[in-house]
Amino acid sequence: MSDGADERWMRRALELAGSAEQADEVPVGAVLLSPAGDVIGEGWNRNISDHDPTAHAEIIAMRQAGMRLGNHRLVGCTLYVTLEPCAMCAMAMIHARIARLVFGAADPKTGAAGSVFDLLADPRHNHRVLVQGGVLAQETGARLTNYFRSKRGKPVE
């Protein structure tokens, strides 16, 4: 996909991150596209409200897509997410056979798509995911930074 399409879908993921923020969840959003470019799954962080440690935006979008397709394999699909995925989400992408990941802000604490770990490119896995990071990184990063600043009572930029 073109950079224009990547930015368009990242903006949609940012909208979904807003839903998480309204629910007092860490503002992360995800959109999953079929190989034809159709939206087949969307999600935002819901682990606090759902009392589910696995309810990250990426997982919710993949679950939705799996149900829609009637398959646990999401071959050829592209996942857009506002924050670099954690190890759990990265491994779920490998198991689902996601073709491509596009993320916004890097996660220097738990990122598993190149920052702390590089699980998606590890040659020991039977599947690798193409990764494009940094799409709208300033906007996605600012949303997260401002969320955590407001939680700590610090001024939001």
Side-chain angles (χ1 to χ4, degrees):
M1 283 208 179
S2 71
D3 286 340
D6 285 349
E7 287 187 10
R8 173 182 168 223
W9 291 114
M10 189 60 69
R11 289 198 189 287
R12 176 62 185 149
L14 268 165
E15 289 174 18
L16 295 166
S19 297
E21 194 165 10
Q22 288 174 357
D24 204 23
E25 299 270 2
V26 176
V28 177
V31 179
L32 187 61
L33 300 185
S34 73
D38 300 317
V39 175
I40 56 172
E42 293 185 324
W44 57 85
N45 274 6
R46 296 172 44 151
N47 51 300
I48 296 167
S49 56
D50 286 2
H51 311 290
D52 179 355
T54 69
H56 289 190
E58 303 94 309
I59 300 293
I60 291 170
M62 286 188 281
R63 284 178 183 156
Q64 208 177 76
M67 294 299 288
R68 183 165 285 148
L69 298 177
N71 196 335
H72 68 288
R73 298 286 192 224
L74 304 171
V75 176
C77 294
T78 298
L79 180 64
Y80 291 86
V81 63
T82 57
L83 179 65
E84 179 182 1
C86 69
M88 174 185 69
C89 293
M91 289 308 298
M93 285 181 245
I94 290 169
H95 291 299
R97 306 298 193 264
I98 296 286
R100 184 168 176 252
L101 164 70
V102 180
F103 70 85
D107 185 345
K109 293 184 179 177
T110 63
S115 289
V116 178
F117 308 104
D118 202 0
L119 295 176
L120 299 176
D122 193 313
R124 294 171 291 186
H125 298 303
N126 60 348
H127 178 75
R128 275 166 276 318
V129 178
L130 295 174
V131 176
Q132 171 68 50
V135 174
L136 300 181
Q138 190 163 347
E139 291 176 52
T140 56
R143 170 167 245 141
L144 287 156
T145 298
N146 288 336
Y147 170 80
F148 287 113
R149 281 189 175 160
S150 70
K151 286 297 220 183
R152 295 179 182 111
K154 294 183 179 178
V156 174
E157 291 179 2

